[in-house]
Amino acid sequence: MSTLSKNCQIICLALLLFLSTWAIHALCRPLNEEFILQRHEKWMAQHGRVYKDAQEKEKRYNIFKNNLEYIENFNKDVNSGYKLAINKFADLTNEEFRGLYTGYQRKFSKAVTTSEDTSFSNVNLTAVPTSLDWRKRGAVNPVKDQGSCGSCWAFSAVAAVEGITQIKTGKLISLSEQELIDCDTKTKNEGCEGGDMDTAFEFIKNNGGLTTEANYPYEETDGNCNTVKAATSAARITGYKDVSANNEKALLQAVANQPVSVAIEGSGYSFQFYSSGIFTGNCDTNLDHAVTAIGYGNSTSGMKYWLIKNSWGTSWGEKGYMKIQRDVSAKEGLCGIAMEASYPTA
């Protein structure tokens, strides 16, 4: 066989391979689209999502598709240290998510006088456990869900009060966020429009305590204060302390003693779809969300982390919890976690 004939055969085989590959990809495109459509339908059924018309459904499907592509591309990076996943926020843009599911207001906007605890500023960390999880010590109630009400501040404050109450009394009581939303309205706190934990602690102290969630259940909306229900207090505090700002060592010492309310920037794209692992994602210090630090630890690879309890239900994160990197180079901590931490006293 001549060299020319061999070259022709090679070219023909290469062309045939190219055409076969193109045909396979061409056939796969509609299958991939169909897969996403089916996944969206399944997701809608799972979360009870119903859209008002076909136009809205198409809009939400496209957002869902873009979010899914972002998540799958992100998870291809095996070195990221954490994973993302489709959750109940999957048909929301990041801007919509930020507007609906955060709600922390910076402390400088409030009128309450704070008391800063500087006793943890220069601590001897050899005196604290190398790891701690307040869930294992019975001081943490199951994860709750604030819904589309910007009441994260109330959930963070309540979780901290529940924690110190259990530590002092041995009783783990689920307390009422709704009482704070409805009744703590004569301060800077604004119910579903946002607030901060120190103001909530001040209210609980001056109010003579907080009632139970069973007595004053959560409604995911602003309401009028039910003074009859609020009159029955189940837990009291004597005040609160602010952890020395921008000091993760001081925060560690505080968390070693009890669950602590912390503010973070929790509205980022990766934060929205966090699923598991130690979060090391892109975030700044524009504090807009409130959670509760309920422990800390170290991974098998030696990375230090904070363990936080969120209020977005159990379908987000690690069944409602998150590990976030600890002892970073920035003094504010990752996502600003060390900037405005505080805890109730009892």
Side-chain angles (χ1 to χ4, degrees), residues 285-345:
T285 57
N286 300 311
L287 307 180
D288 56 15
H289 188 51
V291 293
T292 314
I294 61 161
Y296 55 86
N298 306 278
S299 70
T300 54
S301 64
M303 181 176 287
K304 298 177 181 180
Y305 64 82
W306 296 107
L307 178 61
I308 65 171
K309 179 186 182 184
N310 204 347
S311 53
W312 292 339
T314 56
S315 64
W316 177 89
E318 297 183 344
K319 297 182 179 180
Y321 297 91
M322 175 189 241
K323 295 184 183 77
I324 183 169
Q325 188 177 9
R326 175 167 60 94
D327 282 1
V328 297
S329 58
K331 64 181 181 179
E332 299 87 356
L334 189 61
C335 304
I337 194 170
M339 292 174 67
E340 297 186 358
S342 60
Y343 58 91
T345 57

Side-chain angles (χ1 to χ4, degrees), residues 60-329:
R60 293 298 158 189
Y61 167 75
N62 287 326
I63 295 171
F64 179 92
K65 179 181 177 181
N66 290 336
N67 287 335
L68 179 61
E69 290 175 349
Y70 171 81
I71 290 167
E72 290 190 342
N73 287 331
F74 179 90
N75 287 340
K76 290 177 182 177
D77 181 5
V78 296
N79 298 315
S80 65
Y82 67 100
K83 296 295 183 182
L84 308 181
I86 286 292
N87 56 30
K88 65 180 180 179
F89 307 129
D91 68 344
L92 298 175
T93 66
N94 185 248
E95 290 73 18
E96 290 171 327
F97 164 76
R98 185 183 301 117
L100 289 171
Y101 292 97
T102 55
Y104 178 73
Q105 294 180 357
R106 296 292 300 273
K107 287 180 181 177
F108 56 70
S109 67
K110 71 185 183 67
V112 177
T113 301
T114 64
S115 175
E116 184 173 2
D117 189 348
T118 58
S119 61
F120 299 149
S121 298
N122 298 290
V123 295
N124 178 10
L125 295 182
T126 58
V128 304
T130 55
S131 64
L132 178 68
D133 185 342
W134 281 108
R135 292 176 298 184
K136 296 178 180 179
R137 301 193 180 193
V140 182
N141 272 308
V143 169
K144 302 178 183 180
D145 193 343
Q146 69 185 73
S148 57
C149 164
S151 53
C152 60
W153 59 274
F155 283 84
S156 174
V158 164
V161 174
E162 290 171 344
I164 191 60
T165 300
Q166 190 280 334
I167 291 168
K168 294 294 186 181
T169 68
K171 297 178 181 179
L172 182 60
I173 305 168
S174 184
L175 300 172
S176 175
E177 292 84 10
Q178 194 65 43
E179 181 181 351
L180 286 175
I181 293 168
D182 292 352
C183 304
D184 183 12
T185 57
K186 295 181 180 179
T187 60
K188 293 291 184 179
N189 285 344
E190 300 177 307
C192 288
E193 299 304 311
D196 77 80
M197 292 76 77
D198 282 8
T199 308
F201 294 146
E202 190 77 10
F203 169 83
I204 295 168
K205 172 190 172 184
N206 295 335
N207 191 55
L210 202 61
T211 194
T212 64
E213 182 179 20
N215 184 48
Y216 205 146
Y218 188 62
E219 297 180 359
E220 198 180 322
T221 187
D222 293 315
N224 296 319
C225 183
N226 188 320
T227 54
V228 175
K229 291 183 176 181
T232 307
S233 295
R236 293 176 172 82
I237 61 174
T238 57
Y240 69 95
K241 297 283 188 180
D242 283 343
V243 179
S244 183
N246 302 324
N247 188 333
E248 284 198 87
K249 290 183 179 180
L251 179 57
L252 183 70
Q253 181 69 61
V255 177
N257 284 273
Q258 65 187 90
V260 175
S261 289
V262 293
I264 55 175
E265 183 182 289
S267 57
Y269 208 7
S270 295
F271 207 101
Q272 180 178 349
F273 295 111
Y274 167 81
S275 174
S276 62
I278 300 178
F279 184 79
T280 57
N282 295 326
C283 54
D284 208 330
T285 57
N286 300 311
L287 307 180
D288 56 15
H289 188 51
V291 293
T292 314
I294 61 161
Y296 55 86
N298 306 278
S299 70
T300 54
S301 64
M303 181 176 287
K304 298 177 181 180
Y305 64 82
W306 296 107
L307 178 61
I308 65 171
K309 179 186 182 184
N310 204 347
S311 53
W312 292 339
T314 56
S315 64
W316 177 89
E318 297 183 344
K319 297 182 179 180
Y321 297 91
M322 175 189 241
K323 295 184 183 77
I324 183 169
Q325 188 177 9
R326 175 167 60 94
D327 282 1
V328 297
S329 58

